[in-house]
Amino acid sequence: MSTAVEREVDRSQMKVSDEVAIQITNMNKWFGAFHVLRDINLTVQRGERIVVCGPSGSGKSTLIRCINALEEHQDGHISVDGTELSSDLKNIDKIRSEVGMLFQHFNLFPHLSILDNCTLAPIWVRKTPKKEAEEIAMHYLTKVKIPEQADKFPGQLSGGQQQRVAIARSLCMQPRIMLFDEPTSALDPEMIKEVLDTMIELAQEGMTMIVVTHEMGFARQVANRVIFMDAGQIVEQNEPEEFFNNPKSDRTKLFLSQILGH
Amino acid sequence: MSDVSYVRTKMLDEMAPPVSQVGPIRWARENLFSSVTNSVLTLLAIWFIYSLLAATLPWIVFSSFSANSLGECRTAIRDAYGADATGACWSVIRERYLQLLFGFYPSESYWRPILALVLMLVAIGPILFEGLPRKMLIFSGLYPFVGFFLLWGGTVWLPVTILLGFVIAYFATTMLGKVIGSLGAVIAAILLPVIWWLFLAGPVAYGLHAIVPIGLVPIESARFGGFLLSIVIGVTGIVLSLPIGVLLALGRRSDLFVVRTICIGFIEFIRGVPLITLLFVASTLLNYFLPPGTTFDIVLRVMIMVTLFSSAYMAEVIRGGLAALPRGQYEAANALGMDYWKSMRLIIMPQALKISIPSIVGIFIGLFKDTTLVSIIGLMDPLGLSTAIRANAAWNGIVWELYGFIALMFFIFCFSMSRYSMYLERKLQTGH
């Protein structure tokens, strides 16, 4: 599972500031009667790269989906960039336009060209003039190294290319925080690398990132904190070096042995 | 193991395929005679087509155009093609085609429906085809009022004041929005125009007409008939049922309990009732509910019923399209900060409608053909007219020619819709 291991990563730009980007306190969430997230407390500083891992069903995806209100939490507080996440629609839309999100299945809009995928939200949500939005889009498409695909449709691209377009589409909204929900789980091994490379570049530019992933190589290289979740709770968190070499809890040890053992 | 190794020294040139593998011979062999079963079926089909044409072609060709009654027709055909000849009596179409097209619309005003039809094509053009200038859409928006004025006539101020209602709605949303909030603005945008239309539009229109009398000779709905009536009812139904269907489909999936319940109730009720029942309600029952003395145009009532009927079906078809979209599309739209209406309009609906195109066009075609049901409540659509024509002593006993002509006209309309839907599907294909 460690495709992203042998690569030089320049950590010099990855500075963590004192400013709080995301603050989650005593958050609980239920799906019906099922208690899916239990008493989550998490503070994310600006510039942090946090990798969330854990067995499937542990609530890690649900956790980051709560941060941009794709899922509603029933108890506790979440604030993003100082804005409290409540049921008020204005706050939700404001937070969502500040927080970029990547999905396992890319979720590009298949009826729009790559360029339109990237310009749609800036034009309609940010009210950016079309021309300017297109320039921004081309800038980010160049950054993810697929400017030549701008006029194609998502269905004509490979999975890795689609995920990179999805990254560019998020960046076009110029978010201050990026959430990644298993961005490489649906990809072939050789495509995983191109997506991880793009994510590493983002990290090197100082983006605040929360990444749900099984890519432990990426976690080692890029993350400044690894969080292990099980049964809806944060079981252990630590710096990657310590987390991988010297896990404290038995659950973490078991998980790491299973995921790294083959 | 040296015989495993192989290196090509000379690259081969491109060659044309063998003659037996190209052209019509290959096509026939692949498609018509690929197997014994296929060959037998091909021969059977050829025999069937031959018998069909052998029976009908002489009837179509050995025909009379000039006679003035069915009897004259038969004599003329016998004189021309021999005693045994039977042929079509197309004379009835020649004599009555204007009636089949316009019903009892006054002949000196035929230019009005014709102009309305031409303008309709101009108005529909930019909606159907992307290549036309976008500015033409302004005319498309105004066309309903132009068309109404041309067909029904009367004072020009009535459509103008009705149009003003929409202008009021527009200003209510844009200007009041800042003052009384978006929900208040929506309510005002619905209430104010309704008040305007119910109480003020009429008097204002007649007042204006008294000052500046511009208008066309009014023509009442009872004189509408034939394909004019079919097209008026059909096109209105088609144009209105799509947006109403979209709103109903969204309402049915809404989180708001009241909206959802109303939409489900409406859809299930309308779908549970035959169209003929609704048409009878339109023609008779509705009068009991209206205040005495109000005249509510029968064609207008029928148009409303047909529209409501097909919009209920439309809603279900579109709901199917909505359900077929992966959840990820909604989530991606939300994650980019789009609100409900923006994500519906830009992301969800374009895809859901595209999925539903075949079924939507199916409903359109069904609706257009269902317009013939209005003959049951006494409106003179083509079928109603054909009954009237056959009741005439001169044409008593004529069947195939009339119904054949009507069928052909309907086929032309429905087939064009079907072809257009295929064109649209191809155009919107964005996969590989």
Side-chain angles (χ1 to χ4, degrees), chain A residues 65 96 108 110-111 124 155, chain B residues 329 331 334-335 345-346 430 432:
Chain A
R65 288 159 61 86
R96 279 172 177 167
L108 294 178
H111 63 300
W124 290 89
Chain B
Q329 292 292 311
E331 289 175 354
N334 286 339
R345 179 177 149 206
L346 300 167
T430 56
H432 293 278

Side-chain angles (χ1 to χ4, degrees), chain B residues 13-37:
Chain B
D13 289 329
E14 201 176 313
M15 288 195 305
V19 184
S20 65
Q21 297 299 307
V22 287
I25 297 173
R26 175 174 163 79
W27 185 88
R29 199 180 283 163
E30 267 195 0
N31 293 286
L32 301 178
F33 301 102
S34 63
S35 67
V36 178
T37 329

